[in-house]
């Protein structure tokens, strides 16, 4: 059984040794803890790294690994009847884009603060990248709405898209009044990989919007299948790459260097951990300031060594991948004791 999705032309013509998988599936999960343990063991077995969230409403993950390991993972997950038809967005990479595997059980697979909404019951109409592009470019009754946070859409967004001034997705309900007057329009929503739009369009339908659509597979799939046309800037991603190119047709740069104001899309963190400003700084300024965002940060006694990238690993939150196996072992022993 071959469940590997078609790779984009860029992956076929310039093969890279690793893959980054972005995926989700809204489906009822009776025992999230059991699924969490299954996913954890599978990723350890296949040497995958990344972040996976399991909840009673489904599965959401971003992982990296070798081509063979990622193909094995996709096949194993797709064989689970609960995830039949799951859509994997695939990108090439030079190596792992995460340090370790982190699998957690949470109330929602996307932190929206809307656990009552079940996208597998009701959500906006899915559009392929080609359908989204056609409506966006040719239908005058269409309004394109970005469902991402400020730091994401400030780096890149679709041309003429409406954005919300929000720090995180949980704030979305507070901003619906801003588009209340557009209820007679076709609302085209989009996000990075599609998952936020599942909840966002369900919320719009609940609020009385009638003609609601979502870009299936999000910006990542649009870039791979539609060339990224009319997406301005770069797409923010939640792994070690921070930002990726999307538009192969008419690319532009939206952002400016925080230090000098020149056009740049080099998203970094300040090397001073007490500042840790997450912003755009051009390579020249970054080198002049030795990874800092100011003279003060350059000379700060706690400044991290600048390695040329401007990207620093997050401080560990104490998650230990082996804890999952110890938990599984205890549960298996307990189960055996109860049956004997």
């Amino acid at each position: 059984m071959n469940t590997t999705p078609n790779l984009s032309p860029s992956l076929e013509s310039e093969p890279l040794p690793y893959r980054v998988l972005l995926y989700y599936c809204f489906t009822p999960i009776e025992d999230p803890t059991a699924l969490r343990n299954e996913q954890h063991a599978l990723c350890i077995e296949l040497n995958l790294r990344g972040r996976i969230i399991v909840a009673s409403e489904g599965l959401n993950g971003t992982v990296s690994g070798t081509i063979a390991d990622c193909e094995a993972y996709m096949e194993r997950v797709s064989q689970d009847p609960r995830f039949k038809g799951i859509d994997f967005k695939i990108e090439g990479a030079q190596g792992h884009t995460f340090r370790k595997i982190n699998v957690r059980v949470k109330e929602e697979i996307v932190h929206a603060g809307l656990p009552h909404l079940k996208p597998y019951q009701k959500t906006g109409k899915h559009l392929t990248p080609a359908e989204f592009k056609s409506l966006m470019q040719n239908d005058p009754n269409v309004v394109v709405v970005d469902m991402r946070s400020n730091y994401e859409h400030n780096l890149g967004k679709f041309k003429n898209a409406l954005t919300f001034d929000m720090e995180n997705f949980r704030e979305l309900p507070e901003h619906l009044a801003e588009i209340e007057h557009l209820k007679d329009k076709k609302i085209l929503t989009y996000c990075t990989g599609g998952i936020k739009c599942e909840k966002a369009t369900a919320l719009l339908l609940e609020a009385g919007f009638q003609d609601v659509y979502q870009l299936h597979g999000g910006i990542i799939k649009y870039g791979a299948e539609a060339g990224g046309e009319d997406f301005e800037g770069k797409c923010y991603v939640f792994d070690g790459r921070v930002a990726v190119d999307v538009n192969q047709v008419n690319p532009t740069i939206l952002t400016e260097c925080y230090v000098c104001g020149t056009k740049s899309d080099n998203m970094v963190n300040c090397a001073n951990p007490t500042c840790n400003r997450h912003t755009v700084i051009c390579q020249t300024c970054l080198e002049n300031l030795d990874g800092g965002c100011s003279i003060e940060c350059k000379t700060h006694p706690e400044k991290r060594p600048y390695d040329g990238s401007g990207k620093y690993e997050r401080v560990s939150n104490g998650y230990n991948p082996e804890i999952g196996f110890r938990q599984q072992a205890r549960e298996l022993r307990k189960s055996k004791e109860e049956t004997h």
Side-chain angles (χ1 to χ4, degrees), residues 24 26 110 117-120 122-124 126 169 189 191 194-203 214 216-217:
Y24 70 87
F26 281 99
V110 58
L117 295 178
K118 307 297 181 187
Y120 51 79
K122 188 175 184 181
T123 190
H126 286 190
F169 187 54
T189 69
C191 59
I195 187 169
K196 289 181 179 178
C197 288
E198 300 281 6
K199 282 280 177 104
T201 55
L203 180 65
Q214 56 183 296
H216 186 52

Side-chain angles (χ1 to χ4, degrees), residues 170-183:
R170 298 188 305 278
E171 299 173 17
L172 179 60
E174 303 168 20
H175 292 274
L176 287 193
E178 298 171 22
I179 58 172
E180 181 75 21
H181 62 291
L182 300 173
K183 282 190 173 180

Side-chain angles (χ1 to χ4, degrees), residues 74-105:
M74 289 188 286
E75 183 165 357
R76 295 272 285 275
V77 172
S78 298
Q79 288 173 344
D80 188 323
R82 295 172 295 183
F83 308 123
K84 182 180 179 180
I86 189 171
D87 184 37
F88 289 93
K89 277 72 69 177
I90 309 171
E91 295 180 279
Q94 290 289 356
H96 273 298
T97 58
F98 295 91
R99 290 183 60 198
K100 60 184 179 181
I101 187 65
N102 186 323
V103 189
R104 293 184 181 277
V105 173

Side-chain angles (χ1 to χ4, degrees), residues 7 42 92 322:
L7 301 183
L42 179 59
E322 298 305 319

Side-chain angles (χ1 to χ4, degrees), residues 31-44:
D31 189 344
T33 299
L35 177 59
R36 180 261 170 215
N37 293 341
E38 292 170 15
Q39 283 288 308
H40 184 100
L42 179 59
C43 288
I44 293 293

